[in-house]
Amino acid sequence: MIEIDWIQIPEGEFLYGLSDQQQAAIREKLRAEYGIDRMDDKDVRVIENLVVKYRRTAREPDYSHLSNLTLEEKAIGRGWDDPLFTYFLAEAELERIPRQRLLWMPTYYISRFPITHEQFSVFDVNYYAPRYGLPHDPWPPDDLPMMPESTGYDVSDAMAHWLGGRLPTVAEWEKAARGTDGRLYPWGDGWDNARGNFGSRYRPEYSRQRGIWRTVVDAYPSGASPYGVMDMLGNLAEWTMTRKPPSIKGNREAAWVKGESAKEIGAPEWFWSILARERQGERYVGFRPVLSEWQRQHWVGGTLTT
C-alpha cells in the first residue's frame, strides 16, 4: 500500500501568471545579468532586434531567426553557440508567460511530496510491469528510496490514476506552489537557491559525497509553499496534465511541465524556475498526483478516505 500525504488546497481565487510590474522587473534583471545594460546604444539596438526575431522563432513554426539575420546581428547572435543564446531564449519565453489574472478554483488535494522511487516501485511491481509484461525497473543503485522518481508522461499519468487521482493542471500546480498572492516562488518574491536543489553547492552531504544529483524530497523544508507543499522547485521538473499542440509539423503533442530547475537549460535558475515548458521525453521529469473533492470521497489507492 502506498501512503500519500494529501494537502488540501481550499477553493477560492488566486493570482495566476505575472503582472506587468513583474514582467518589467524580470526583464530588467535579465538585461543586467547578461550585461545588456552595459552595452553601447548601437549594440543594444541590434540585441533588441534579435529579441524580436527569437520571439518570432518561438511563436511561428515557419519562421527561423537564423535565416533572417543581418550582418550586424550575425556578429552578435550566431545561434546555439552564442554566449547570449540563453538571454534571447529567456526573452522569448518571458513573452509566453501568461499575464496575471484572477482564477477561481474549487477545492482539490495535492501530494505534499513528489512520487518517490520507493512509492513508484510499489506501483511498478504490483501493476505496471506485470500488466504490460515488462521487467521491474529498479531505481538507480546509488539513489535513496526517498528521492523523486523520473518517468514519462504516460507512466506518470497511469500511476496518478492508479492512486485514484490524476496529474494536476498547470493552474493547480501554480496555486499549490505559490499560494494566492502572486509571488514568484513558493517562499516569496526573492530568489534563494539554498531553498531547493539548484546545484551541488547547497546539496546535503550524502548527495555531494556520492555524486548523486537528486536529493530526497524532504531535504529543503525552507522551500515549502504557503500550503506546506514540498520540493516544488529544484530537484526534478514535474508533469502536469495540461497539454499543448505540437509547435512544429510532425512533432507529437507535448505536456507542460512545471518547476524547471535549469539543469538542461543553463543559468539563470531564478528565471527558468517560474516557467511552464512543454516536454515530450521523460528525462529529469517527476510528478505528483492530485485529487478533486469528489475523488477524495471515493476509493483512493485501495483505501477509503474521508
Side-chain angles (χ1 to χ4, degrees), residues 31 36 38-50 70-73 75-76:
R31 290 169 67 92
I36 310 301
R38 297 187 294 276
M39 294 182 177
D40 61 39
D41 291 345
K42 179 181 177 182
D43 285 342
V44 169
R45 285 194 295 272
V46 175
I47 292 291
E48 289 173 347
N49 289 337
L50 278 166
T70 66
L71 291 177
E72 289 180 322
E73 291 165 356
I76 292 179

Side-chain angles (χ1 to χ4, degrees), residues 7-132:
I7 299 293
Q8 184 186 67
I9 309 298
E11 69 173 87
E13 292 183 329
F14 78 107
L15 288 170
Y16 174 72
L18 296 180
S19 68
D20 292 340
Q21 292 80 6
Q22 287 173 322
Q23 288 260 352
I26 289 169
R27 180 163 286 112
E28 182 178 346
K29 190 174 178 180
L30 283 170
R31 290 169 67 92
E33 183 147 337
Y34 286 93
I36 310 301
D37 56 350
R38 297 187 294 276
M39 294 182 177
D40 61 39
D41 291 345
K42 179 181 177 182
D43 285 342
V44 169
R45 285 194 295 272
V46 175
I47 292 291
E48 289 173 347
N49 289 337
L50 278 166
V51 167
V52 171
K53 291 181 178 181
Y54 268 80
R55 286 176 180 165
R56 286 192 62 184
T57 300
R59 189 173 57 242
E60 302 174 23
D62 297 326
Y63 182 87
S64 170
H65 67 280
L66 292 175
S67 303
N68 293 277
L69 297 179
T70 66
L71 291 177
E72 289 180 322
E73 291 165 356
K74 287 179 180 178
I76 292 179
R78 297 182 300 278
W80 292 94
D81 59 343
D82 180 3
L84 288 175
F85 174 75
T86 53
Y87 169 73
F88 297 127
L89 187 60
E91 279 279 8
E93 291 291 344
L94 181 59
E95 186 188 56
R96 299 203 298 178
I97 299 176
R99 290 299 189 268
Q100 192 173 84
R101 63 188 187 275
L102 276 174
L103 289 182
W104 181 89
M105 299 185 67
T107 297
Y108 64 97
Y109 302 83
I110 191 166
S111 174
R112 185 186 298 272
F113 303 106
I115 293 296
T116 64
H117 287 319
E118 187 174 47
Q119 291 171 322
F120 182 81
S121 183
V122 175
F123 165 71
D124 194 34
V125 168
N126 291 282
Y127 175 78
Y128 193 77
R131 179 180 178 89
Y132 294 101

